[in-house]
Amino acid sequence: MMDQDENWMWRAIHVAREAEKLGEVPVGAVIIDADGKILAATSNRTIKNNDPTAHAEILALRTAAIRTGNYRLTGTTIYTTIEPCAMCAGALVNARVARVVYGAADERFGAVETHFRVCDSPALNHRMEITSGILADKCRSLMQDFFKARRK
């Protein structure tokens, strides 16, 4: 499972780098179905779309829902380079994603494990499996390098 997780995380890193080239915060997300088929590979587009909800995870959920013809994405796994925020974590719960795999923790906004437990809260009607730390150093340095370059 670890090899598969790393392979999909590399894909998420690749799409995050595409966002960086556009001046977007480099976050990438990939959704696969239970058979390992890719349903979506997206990155942040908040600036380009003038949309505060255009986070990589939200865009991936939208694409996957259209491709499957269903807003319920049961049996799917999302790979995201950074721990999802509260908005994205809530959307993952609403979509009934089975598993969330993320690279680096988000010390400021993380809502999966860092500040909240949205994805596996017993108070909610759906809980998902959580795997964190996949290629964490690569994912963290992608974000750190992006923000260092912007502060120059």
Side-chain angles (χ1 to χ4, degrees):
M1 186 72 111
M2 184 68 84
D3 287 342
Q4 178 181 335
D5 287 346
E6 286 187 6
N7 286 336
W8 287 116
M9 190 60 71
W10 278 114
R11 177 76 169 126
I13 290 169
H14 173 75
V15 294
R17 287 184 176 137
E18 291 174 6
E20 183 176 29
K21 290 175 188 172
L22 298 172
E24 298 276 357
V25 176
V27 178
V30 174
I31 297 180
I32 62 165
D33 67 13
D35 297 323
K37 179 183 163 195
I38 192 165
L39 297 174
T42 61
S43 59
N44 275 4
R45 292 290 185 270
T46 55
I47 298 166
K48 181 178 186 218
N49 293 3
N50 292 312
D51 180 356
T53 69
H55 289 195
E57 299 91 337
I58 299 295
L59 297 176
L61 289 171
R62 290 175 185 162
T63 300
I66 289 168
R67 284 204 174 140
T68 62
N70 195 337
Y71 77 95
R72 288 189 176 193
L73 300 172
T74 56
T76 62
T77 299
I78 187 166
Y79 292 86
T80 183
T81 54
I82 299 297
E83 179 182 7
C85 68
M87 174 184 68
C88 294
L92 296 173
V93 170
N94 284 320
R96 309 299 195 273
V97 169
R99 183 168 177 244
V100 59
V101 180
Y102 67 88
D106 186 340
E107 299 301 324
R108 294 182 62 213
F109 300 110
V112 175
E113 294 180 303
T114 301
H115 294 294
F116 307 105
R117 298 293 306 212
V118 174
C119 293
D120 63 354
S121 171
L124 299 176
N125 64 331
H126 176 73
R127 287 168 284 294
M128 64 193 76
E129 180 184 339
I130 300 166
T131 303
S132 59
I134 303 298
L135 300 177
D137 291 340
K138 285 279 186 200
C139 294
R140 185 179 308 103
S141 67
L142 187 62
M143 292 288 281
Q144 288 173 339
D145 293 348
F146 174 80
F147 285 109
K148 280 180 192 172
R150 291 189 68 126
R151 289 186 187 112
K152 287 182 180 180

